[in-house]
Structure formats: C-alpha cells, structure tokens
C-alpha cells in the first residue's frame, strides 16, 4: 500500500545515468530511496558508499521493499528488468528507449495494464524547461528541423543512434504533430560501431508537415536544437542552453511585452517581425521527470510520457532503422 505522500523507490543500474537518478531521487520530497542494485558489485559498492544508501545483492529483494523502481540499465536489459519488477507489483520508470524491440515494449504495456501499474519512459527532453516553455505558444508546425549531435562514447552503442539519440526528437515530433505519417526517407552510416552512428530522416505527415531529423554520435561538438517553422512564425529551441527564441510576423505593430523586440520587415511597408526570447526558468529536467513519475503514482494518473507514447516513438524509430538497414 502506497503512503499517499511518498513512494518507496529503488534504482536498478547505477552506471553513468543511474548515478544521477540516485542523486536526484534524494532531492525529491515525495521519494523514499530504499536502495540500489547493479549487476556490477564494484559499481554498486561505490555508489552505495558515496550516497550512503543500501545496496541489494539480489534485485528481487529490492523489488520486495519498493512501490516503484527506476530502470537505468543498458537498453538491452530494460525488458527483463521491467517484467521482473512488475511481477513484484512495482511501478516502473524505464530509461529511454523503452526497449530494444517492439514485442518487448508490448509485453511491458500488457503487463502494466493487467497489473494496473504505471509505466513512464525517460524521454527527458519533454521535461526540458526550454521545451516546457513553448507550451504557451500556438504550435502548428509545417516544417521541423532537428539536430542532435554528440561526440563518440561507447555507452549507448548497444543500439543504433536512431534508438539512442534520435528517439528523443522522434518523441517530441510525435507530441507536436497530430497527423499520421505518409512517407519516410532515411539514411544512416555505421562509422565506428556495428550500427548506424549517424542518421538522417525526412518524415512527411498526412497534414503536409515535414520533419527533418539528423542525429550523430560521432560529432566533434554537441548540438541539440529543434527549429519549428509555421505560418508567420519561426521558433527555435536549444535544449543544451535551455533557451527559446521566436520570430513572429504581424501586419500591425502590437503592444510589446517584456522580452519582445520588433523589426520592420525590409521591403514590406506593413509587416513587422516580433522577436521574443521568453524567460526560461532553469530547472533540472531529470528531477522534474522523476518527480512527475512519483506524482503519477501518488495521484494514479497517466504520466506525460507513458508506455504507450514511448512505444509509438520506438515503432517509428524501428521503422526508420529498418529503412537504413535495407540501404546498407
Ligand atoms: P552505463 O553503461 O553507464 O550504466 C549501466 C549500468 O547498468 C552499469 O552500471 C551496469 O553494470 C548496470 N547493468 C547492466 N545490466 C544490468 C542488469 N541486468 N541489472 C542491473 N544492472 C545492470 O549506461 P548509461 O549511459 O547509464 O545508460 C543506461 C540507460 O540510460 C540506457 O537505457 C540509456 O539509453 C539511457 N540513457 C538515457 C539518457 C537520457 O538522456 N535520458 C542519457 C543517457 C543514457
């Protein structure tokens, strides 16, 4: 039985990202961190000592003491760990992508539905304060351009870059465009690892919107940008800087709000460009999404990125990956 004010939670897999899960969970008032499990005992001891939290030698013993777990193992293990946790009645937060395959994701959805358990997936950019800041804007995209580039790191290479990085932008695009998909053109190249390290896709939606996504894990510099073009409006989000800028074309000069500037459009007597850089309140996206998971359990409500939306993102990612594989 869950205490209405706090949720007993454990973390499975305390590698690079699991370390931050432990750190952030400790800062969330509605969380009671019960302990951690990692199949690598040395890593588990290190994290257990540095945060002074119990380490469990048997994963099932941790499940037995928890209402929920956060699964931060490599993607290949999400399915088996999530099913084992749900078998012991634990709600699950699963890092992105939900699983490596669609049948695995569907197993998790079925189990969660049968047992009435909550599944949230770590599509963290949907909790990025810059992305949250555009919720006040009227978003009706006609063209979207995404760049997600990062230097090479062997972590995450158990899956292609489409499932590792592009999945973030796929989830975002599906949350922004309400239409179905008409056409997909994709290409990708294995440069360093056994699967595509760089990929590009052009997705044409049935409402005419087009999204062009490029993801790379072999770039010299990091970039995480989303640009939305729509009638009379251009919006750009920098996920790394946590900033939003928008340019809106108006026929008459409106009363300007704070953070807004106006420019006369050259060659157009009656057109004005209104530049807006809304204040984005800095916040920790990981803490926000984990707190949202715990609140969803406490209030028994559907999380923002539930298992179904994460599975839709995975289905599109795998469709893209299959096109890339056929070309290679
Ligand atoms: P990592 O390799 O640094 O850590 C994984 C940890 O899991 C290791 O300590 C390993 O010993 C442990 N582990 C492996 N198999 C296990 C098992 N069966 N049971 C328990 N522990 C096990 O990897 P990482 O970079 O922390 O990535 C972990 C997950 O987080 C991946 O799914 C990855 O896609 C995701 N991730 C998400 C983001 C994001 O932006 N949301 C960023 C990085 C990683």
């Amino acid at each position: 039985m869950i205490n209405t004010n706090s949720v007993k939670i454990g973390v499975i897999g305390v590698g690079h990202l699991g370390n931050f899960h432990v750190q952030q969970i400790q800062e969330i008032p509605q969380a009671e961190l019960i302990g951690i499990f990692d199949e690598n005992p040395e890593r588990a001891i290190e994290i257990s000592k540095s945060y002074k939290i119990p380490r469990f030698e048997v994963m099932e013993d941790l499940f037995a003491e928890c209402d929920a777990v956060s699964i931060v193992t490599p993607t290949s293990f999400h399915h088996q760990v999530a099913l084992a946790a749900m078998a012991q009645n634990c709600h699950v937060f699963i890092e992105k992508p939900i699983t490596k395959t669609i049948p695995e994701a569907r197993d998790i959805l079925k189990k969660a539905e049968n047992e009435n358990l909550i599944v949230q997936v770590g599509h963290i950019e949907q909790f990025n304060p810059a992305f949250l800041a555009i919720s006040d804007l009227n978003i009706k995209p006609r063209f979207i351009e995404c760049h997600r580039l990062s230097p090479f790191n062997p972590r995450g290479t158990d899956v292609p870059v489409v499932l590792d990085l592009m999945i973030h932008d796929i989830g975002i695009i599906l949350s922004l465009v309400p239409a179905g998909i008409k056409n997909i053109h994709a290409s990708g190249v294995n440069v360093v690892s056994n699967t595509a390290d760089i990929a590009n896709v052009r997705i044409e939606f049935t409402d005419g919107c087009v999204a062009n996504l490029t993801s790379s894990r072999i770039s010299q510099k990091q970039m995480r940008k989303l640009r939305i073009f729509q009638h009379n409006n251009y919006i750009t989000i920098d996920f790394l800087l946590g900033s939003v800028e928008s340019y809106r074309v108006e026929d008459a000069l409106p009363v300007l709000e704070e953070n807004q500037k106006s420019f006369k459009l050259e060659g157009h007597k009656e057109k004005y460009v209104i530049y807006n850089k809304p204040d984005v309140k800095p916040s920790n996206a990981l803490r926000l999404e984990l707190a949202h998971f715990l609140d969803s359990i406490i209030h028994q409500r559907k999380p923002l990125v539930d298992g179904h939306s994460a599975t839709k993102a995975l289905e599109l990612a795998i469709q893209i990956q299959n096109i890339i594989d056929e070309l290679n």
Side-chain angles (χ1 to χ4, degrees):
M1 183 73 182
I2 294 179
N3 174 322
T4 48
N5 298 317
S6 79
V7 176
K8 292 180 175 158
I9 184 165
V11 179
I12 312 295
V14 287
H16 172 76
L17 189 60
N19 169 52
F20 295 114
H21 277 239
V22 169
Q23 210 176 73
Q24 292 308 321
I25 286 170
Q26 289 185 306
E27 301 296 323
I28 301 174
Q30 60 273 42
E32 185 187 341
L33 182 58
I34 298 297
I36 56 162
F37 171 80
D38 194 294
E39 66 152 28
N40 173 352
E42 281 165 24
R43 178 65 178 172
I45 290 168
E46 184 190 338
I47 295 291
S48 163
K49 277 189 180 158
S50 59
Y51 294 100
K52 297 185 178 57
I53 42 158
R55 163 179 80 93
F56 285 67
E57 286 180 11
V58 177
M59 188 168 69
E60 286 72 15
D61 291 347
L62 178 55
F63 295 152
E65 292 197 25
C66 290
D67 306 311
V69 286
S70 182
I71 300 170
V72 204
T73 64
T75 304
S76 315
F77 300 100
H78 289 180
H79 174 249
Q80 78 181 54
V81 175
L83 285 187
M86 290 192 290
Q88 285 182 247
N89 214 27
C90 289
H91 301 282
V92 289
F93 179 97
I94 308 172
E95 258 311 330
K96 54 75 349 209
I98 179 168
T99 51
K100 202 168 173 174
T101 71
I102 297 162
E104 285 177 350
R106 290 194 182 138
D107 274 354
I108 291 175
L109 296 183
K110 198 168 150 204
K111 183 80 180 162
E113 199 178 319
N114 289 346
E115 307 297 331
N116 198 22
L117 292 167
I118 284 174
V119 178
Q120 185 178 327
V121 180
H123 284 253
I124 193 168
E125 297 291 35
Q126 296 190 43
F127 290 85
N128 187 307
F131 185 68
L132 295 174
I134 69 160
S135 61
D136 294 343
L137 306 177
N138 185 18
I139 304 289
K140 289 189 175 153
R142 306 304 300 149
F143 178 65
I144 304 176
E145 176 98 61
C146 298
H147 284 99
R148 187 168 293 269
L149 318 177
S150 67
F152 184 72
N153 190 321
R155 283 186 292 104
T157 51
D158 61 327
V159 292
V161 72
V162 175
L163 267 72
D164 185 27
L165 298 184
M166 193 183 276
I167 192 89
H168 284 293
D169 296 315
I170 292 172
I172 282 173
I173 301 272
L174 292 180
S175 78
L176 293 177
V177 185
I181 291 171
K182 197 166 78 177
N183 239 319
I184 301 176
H185 300 273
S187 62
V189 188
N190 316 356
V191 179
V192 179
S193 59
N194 296 330
T195 56
D197 297 305
I198 179 156
N200 171 266
V201 62
R202 177 188 158 92
I203 306 167
E204 294 167 19
F205 290 89
T206 50
D207 67 353
C209 177
V210 169
N212 188 32
L213 283 64
T214 302
S215 300
S216 161
R217 57 185 175 202
I218 47 162
S219 294
Q220 281 188 308
K221 288 190 180 156
Q222 272 205 316
M223 181 191 279
R224 291 198 250 141
K225 278 191 178 171
L226 175 81
R227 297 177 178 92
I228 302 170
F229 300 83
Q230 54 191 52
H231 293 302
N232 299 332
N233 206 181
Y234 163 52
I235 299 149
T236 173
I237 301 174
D238 189 322
F239 291 101
L240 270 182
L241 294 181
S243 67
V244 178
E245 291 171 287
S246 88
Y247 298 82
R248 198 176 77 242
V249 179
E250 298 276 355
D251 291 335
L253 189 61
V255 178
L256 295 182
E257 292 167 19
E258 216 185 314
N259 303 323
Q260 291 187 338
K261 285 181 202 159
S262 72
F263 310 90
K264 198 112 194 272
L265 202 58
E266 251 180 68
H268 287 266
K269 270 190 191 161
E270 306 298 333
K271 298 260 185 208
Y272 296 87
V273 177
I274 315 301
Y275 168 77
N276 186 17
K277 188 166 187 207
D279 265 339
V280 176
K281 225 171 93 195
S283 55
N284 185 302
L286 181 58
R287 192 184 309 174
L288 272 184
E289 72 170 348
L290 288 166
H292 178 83
F293 171 57
L294 300 173
D295 283 339
S296 303
I297 295 169
I298 292 168
H299 302 293
Q300 282 294 297
R301 63 177 186 224
K302 188 171 104 58
L304 179 65
V305 186
D306 68 350
H308 289 279
S309 54
T311 301
K312 281 197 182 121
L314 179 71
E315 284 168 349
L316 180 50
I318 287 183
Q319 210 180 336
I320 294 166
Q321 187 54 41
N322 288 344
I323 296 171
I324 293 173
D325 288 344
E326 271 171 34
L327 293 173
N328 279 308

